[in-house]
Amino acid sequence: MVQFSPWTQKNSSSAREFLARIICQQSTNPDCKIERKILLKGDPKVEIEYDNKEVTKLETSDMTVDDIVNIVKNRADEMEMSAQLKAAGLSGYTFTSTWKRDTK
């Protein structure tokens, strides 16, 4: 679900852009259902429900569209990795990386 008010240009642009991106990608995932809520006023929000019924709710007024995409992608990647670990019989284990990412 993506909700925003078209009359609040400044803080709703990331939600509107996210909606445009997922509509363009919908053909690659026909099971993806997109609900739009257009408000007269109010804060923009994005709510994602994954296959396992887990829900991610985001208040997007202070986020960029890339922030939203990264949060959704990272959570989907985590769930996929968990499913793969479970299928390999490693459910319940904790893995810690000693690799350090260069932040420069």
Side-chain angles (χ1 to χ4, degrees):
M1 185 269 303
V2 178
Q3 89 174 24
F4 62 90
S5 168
W7 293 278
T8 54
Q9 175 75 18
K10 183 181 177 202
N11 70 352
S12 67
S13 59
S14 60
R16 286 189 328 229
E17 176 66 23
F18 181 73
L19 178 61
R21 288 187 187 188
I22 60 175
I23 287 172
C24 290
Q25 295 294 319
Q26 191 173 23
S27 64
T28 63
N29 184 358
D31 293 334
C32 178
K33 294 179 183 34
I34 302 170
E35 180 182 339
R36 306 154 184 89
K37 287 189 181 179
I38 308 300
L39 308 172
L40 292 176
K41 61 182 179 177
D43 293 327
K45 297 177 182 163
V46 171
E47 185 175 302
I48 307 290
E49 182 178 335
Y50 301 94
D51 287 343
N52 65 359
K53 304 300 181 199
E54 181 179 318
V55 176
T56 298
K57 296 180 181 182
L58 303 172
E59 302 282 338
T60 62
S61 58
D62 293 326
M63 299 174 79
T64 66
V65 69
D66 289 335
D67 294 337
I68 300 168
V69 169
N70 287 334
I71 289 169
V72 172
K73 183 180 179 334
N74 288 342
R75 186 62 197 126
D77 289 347
E78 288 172 7
M79 288 188 293
E80 182 179 345
M81 179 60 73
S82 292
Q84 290 174 353
L85 291 172
K86 186 176 180 179
L90 299 173
S91 182
Y93 286 86
T94 302
F95 295 91
T96 305
S97 172
T98 57
W99 292 25
K100 297 194 185 211
R101 184 172 37 170
D102 187 12
T103 58
K104 293 181 185 178

